[in-house]
Amino acid sequence: MDNPFAGLDIAILDDFREKIDAYVQRREGQRASPLNQPFNRNVDIWFFAIMLAVQNGLKPTEVKGKTYKAAEGVVIGSDSWRPTALTLLAIAESEDPNIVDRAGDMMRIANSYANAGFPLLFSMLDSRGDDTALDYLCDEVEKFVR
């Protein structure tokens, strides 16, 4: 599948920027530790937030307020399965198979699911105790697949 999101942006509420920066590895000058910064790129934490929202039955929350461009949509295609997963999510949410022709609407849905999932993700990470962020998230994901 081609990446219909290539010309669009991943928009995240500016309120989440500091938390995201704490859990996404930095490549310039800082020594990132996957144990404490388990996400390699902004798109990875964004997609994880979407997964959490869907897995927990959260309703998509429209992104309102000041946002920032966390990544260009072209990065979604760096993993070939992501465009397909987001397209299927958009069809399920909209109940309209023709949404595949409206990439902007599909991205709005994806951003809305991420917006719903970020508070849960940050709450989980804030309550992880002495576990590293990576260990804690691995344990949580394991619960989903049992």
Side-chain angles (χ1 to χ4, degrees):
M1 169 178 210
D2 290 329
N3 180 7
F5 307 99
L8 304 170
D9 294 329
I10 293 173
I12 297 176
L13 277 175
D14 201 48
D15 294 346
F16 297 146
R17 186 190 300 241
E18 188 175 320
K19 286 278 195 181
I20 288 171
D21 286 348
Y23 294 111
V24 174
Q25 295 176 24
R26 296 285 160 235
R27 290 178 167 59
E28 297 177 18
Q30 294 182 1
R31 294 180 185 206
S33 166
L35 293 175
N36 296 311
Q37 295 174 306
F39 299 99
N40 193 36
R41 306 166 298 169
N42 284 343
V43 68
D44 301 322
I45 195 169
W46 175 81
F47 201 90
F48 194 85
I50 293 169
M51 184 272 310
L52 278 178
V54 171
Q55 181 66 31
N56 286 283
L58 302 178
K59 295 294 180 195
T61 306
E62 186 178 342
V63 180
K64 293 182 180 179
K66 184 178 178 190
T67 63
Y68 71 101
K69 178 175 142 179
E72 294 179 0
V74 69
V75 74
I76 293 170
S78 64
D79 295 307
S80 61
W81 53 270
R82 285 188 204 222
T84 303
L86 293 176
T87 299
L88 291 172
L89 177 62
I91 292 169
E93 177 61 30
S94 68
E95 298 180 352
D96 177 11
N98 294 317
I99 198 167
V100 299
D101 297 323
R102 301 187 311 273
D105 289 345
M106 291 194 298
M107 181 61 93
R108 182 188 47 74
I109 290 170
N111 282 329
S112 294
Y113 268 99
N115 193 47
F118 276 127
L120 176 59
L121 173 58
F122 299 140
S123 174
M124 290 168 56
L125 287 167
D126 288 345
S127 66
R128 72 180 188 272
D130 292 333
D131 272 353
T132 65
L134 181 61
D135 287 340
Y136 185 80
L137 290 177
C138 286
D139 291 343
E140 291 301 308
V141 168
E142 185 179 358
K143 292 176 189 175
F144 294 147
V145 296
R146 284 187 187 166

